[in-house]
Amino acid sequence: MMNSTGSDVIIIGGGLAGLALSILLAQQHHTVTVFEKDDYPRHKVCGEYISMESFPFLEQLGILLSDMKLPVINKLLLTDVHGNEMFTDLPQGGFGISRYMLDDLLAKRAVACGVVLNVKTRVDDVLFDGDGFTVLAAARQYTAKIVCGAWGKRANMDVKWHRSFIKEKQKGLDNYIGVKYHVRLPWTDNLIALHNFNGGYCGISRIEDDKCCLCYLTTAANLKQNGNDIAEMERNVLMKNPALGKIFSEAEFLYDTPVTISQISFRKKDTVLNHVLLLGDAAGMITPLCGNGMSIALHTAKIAFGAVDNFFISGGRKQMEYVYNKEWCKKFYFRIFAGRILQRIFEKQLAGNMFLSIFKKLTFLHQPVIKLTSGRPF
Ligand SMILES: Cc1cc2nc3c(=O)[nH]c(=O)nc-3n(C[C@H](O)[C@H](O)[C@H](O)COP(=O)(O)OP(=O)(O)OC[C@H]3O[C@@H](n4cnc5c(N)ncnc54)[C@H](O)[C@@H]3O)c2cc1C
């Protein structure tokens, strides 16, 4: 095992949360090392609709979104499994950008700010000695005063640390799969559609270069019932919704195979574990139908930045962990809880259909229900 020099902060995972935190810390002249097991640019399973609450924050980080002419999205179309439609406005709205582009822009910005970004380097263990950390990655040891875990929904570190959502028996809110394509088809720039099918839902909205992101979430059981064959499941289940039938038969698919992930869990998680502050999906994941996971990940970076920066001024680790957890709960606990309830409703065909047919008529409830899962600019 070789030794390496230390940094003030090590961040495990260079997705949205990890990169955003690294930029904030580097801008404040802290030395930061990020470990990312993959490389940039790369496709990721995500609906690629970002709530407008993140727009000013990303610009503050140095991602000049205003110059990119990205599609602005402010109308929502919901369909039930039979294709019955409901349109409504999105009070805050969002914009579309691929993860291929966004993560790459953030990675370049982090490096420009002085962050040491180690790509294709997986962290295998983190040890705390009472005063600081030793991180093991690619047969080397790295030291830091603070370690933040921004490793996403499910990673080797979750298994290593026997986190409860990994070791407990899988039940409701566990074991979903996500599938994503980029497609071309005639589409209204400001519209995001969420089409329900038995056992899941599929979102479609515009991203850069006149492309659309088509992304769906369903249960692993649904895939299993269709012989673990994605194309078969799309034919037998998704395309039963006529709106999805039309999209799947008319769109031009831009990859040979979709990007997929499995074993997604929406269960409650810790925000601090073994003195490591957990950010983004590593601390808890809002269900994708809310279109808010990316904003929450970015927002956790801002909260963690405040707590970590304060640690370097006042030196209290306990205080840092307490403040981070308290802020996290204040900002996200209710949104994530509301998202879980909506998820439960929509994944049951009958409940989802009933909810939509009633909700459609109660127009005065549209904005309040949407607002339950969204936040304000930060
Ligand atoms: C089907 C689906 C659709 C979605 N649609 C939307 C949407 O439209 N809008 C929205 O706002 N949100 C959406 N989300 C949620 C959103 O994608 C996530 O909330 C967001 O990506 C979380 O960012 P993160 O930084 O926490 O994690 P990630 O972006 O997943 O980053 C984690 C990083 O850590 C790296 N990593 C993991 N382990 C290690 C290790 N040991 N060492 C080094 N690196 C490691 C990974 O390679 C990865 O790059 C969706 C999610 C799903 C599943």
Side-chain angles (χ1 to χ4, degrees), residues 12-18 35-38 42 44-51 99 103 121-123 150-153 155-157 178-179 215-217 261 264 279-282 285 288 291-295 297:
I12 307 169
L16 298 183
F35 292 100
E36 167 52 50
K37 70 177 172 55
D38 293 330
R42 79 302 202 202
K44 259 188 183 174
V45 173
C46 183
E48 303 182 333
Y49 161 88
I50 310 196
S51 152
R99 295 298 297 270
D103 290 36
T121 313
R122 192 179 86 161
V123 168
W151 54 66
K153 330 174 196 339
N156 62 327
M157 291 304 302
V179 179
C215 182
Y216 63 86
L217 184 93
I261 43 166
I264 306 169
L279 277 70
D281 286 355
M285 195 180 165
N292 262 290
M294 288 192 275
S295 288

Side-chain angles (χ1 to χ4, degrees), residues 184-200:
R184 282 193 202 280
L185 79 169
W187 192 259
T188 314
D189 266 7
N190 71 339
L191 181 72
I192 181 165
L194 201 57
H195 298 299
N196 283 278
F197 56 86
N198 195 9

